[in-house]
Amino acid sequence: DADVTQTPRNRITKTGKRIMLECSQTKGHDRMYWYRQDPGLGLRLIYYSFDVKDINKGEISDGYSVSRQAQAKFSLSLESAIPNQTALYFCATSDVAGAGGRFEQFFGPGTRLTVL
Amino acid sequence: AQKVTQAQTEISVVEKEDVTLDCVYETRDTTYYLFWYKQPPSGELVFLIRRNSFDEQNEISGRYSWNFQKSTSSFNFTITASQVVDSAVYFCALSEPMDSNYQLIWGAGTKLIIKP
């Protein structure tokens, strides 16, 4: 089974709808991240969480919110979706940094979201 | 400010040719980490390598090799005897403890096309 899973894998929705993307991990990592990927722009960080009580905005948090329900679960919400939020969304996890911790990020398979 | 530049937007070579993907980074920290990820056409992001700033040894893994040069702030990736399955987008990323609290700063990616 995959270590980092995302649901749904694909979603088509309409402008103004509320959408939730879910991420679960079995890696036991404390840190979790949400990114979006647009063609030619690489990955941009939306939100990140260092533990259940620590949530931080990333580079492009406007229009998004998150919830860290448990160490293993991190959800991304679009309260009122708009067409320019059409993108590929990735969840990632990493171990605690420093002191020899391995903190490369491990990614879920991605969610392709289309907002019409 | 930290920054990662992958100047090659797209590279196309014929199978069995060697190809080098360039990555140039900017950082003020003396301790930092560099990464390469692969994104095949299926869309998932696959971790390839992590290198810390104290270890300038080049690394080889099968047909893949990485050349880290602090003097030129570069961390280039070479594929020897390329194969069609190497076709993917490759991302270079930088992580620093001080300025970014170990967040990954991503390059825009290089699309590698291997023609049969």
Side-chain angles (χ1 to χ4, degrees), chain B residues 67-105:
Chain B
N67 181 7
F68 176 33
Q69 292 196 339
K70 289 178 74 171
S71 60
T72 55
S73 298
S74 64
F75 186 43
N76 297 337
F77 173 31
T78 297
I79 301 175
T80 302
S82 60
Q83 299 176 2
V84 173
V85 294
D86 296 326
S87 296
V89 179
Y90 291 86
F91 292 96
C92 180
L94 165 71
S95 176
E96 308 165 304
M98 297 301 292
D99 280 355
S100 63
N101 197 10
Y102 293 105
Q103 298 312 303
L104 288 184
I105 309 301

Side-chain angles (χ1 to χ4, degrees), chain A residues 33 35 45 92-94 103-107, chain B residues 35 37 45 47 102-104 106:
Chain A
Y33 310 80
Y35 290 93
L45 184 64
T93 75
S94 69
F103 49 92
E104 52 267 29
Q105 294 181 12
F106 296 92
F107 286 80
Chain B
F35 303 82
Y37 283 81
L45 280 156
F47 165 71
Y102 293 105
Q103 298 312 303
L104 288 184
W106 294 83

Side-chain angles (χ1 to χ4, degrees), chain A residues 4-23:
Chain A
V4 185
T5 58
Q6 293 183 233
T7 55
R9 294 294 311 278
N10 288 283
R11 182 72 183 268
I12 299 173
T13 190
K14 295 182 178 180
T15 297
K17 294 291 187 181
R18 183 178 187 274
I19 296 296
M20 178 180 284
L21 309 183
E22 299 186 343
C23 176

Side-chain angles (χ1 to χ4, degrees), chain A residues 16-82:
Chain A
K17 294 291 187 181
R18 183 178 187 274
I19 296 296
M20 178 180 284
L21 309 183
E22 299 186 343
C23 176
S24 295
Q25 53 115 346
T26 58
K27 297 186 76 67
H29 289 165
D30 286 323
R31 297 185 168 200
M32 297 187 74
Y33 310 80
W34 275 105
Y35 290 93
R36 67 176 277 174
Q37 184 180 26
D38 299 278
L41 292 180
L43 280 84
R44 292 185 291 168
L45 184 64
I46 305 172
Y47 270 95
Y48 60 102
S49 171
F50 286 173
D51 63 40
V52 175
K53 296 181 180 179
D54 182 4
I55 293 178
N56 305 277
K57 292 182 178 180
E59 178 186 356
I60 53 163
S61 58
D62 287 348
Y64 301 94
S65 62
V66 291
S67 173
R68 184 83 183 265
Q69 300 95 324
Q71 187 208 35
K73 296 183 181 295
F74 192 36
S75 300
L76 175 72
S77 293
L78 289 69
E79 296 300 327
S80 180
I82 55 177

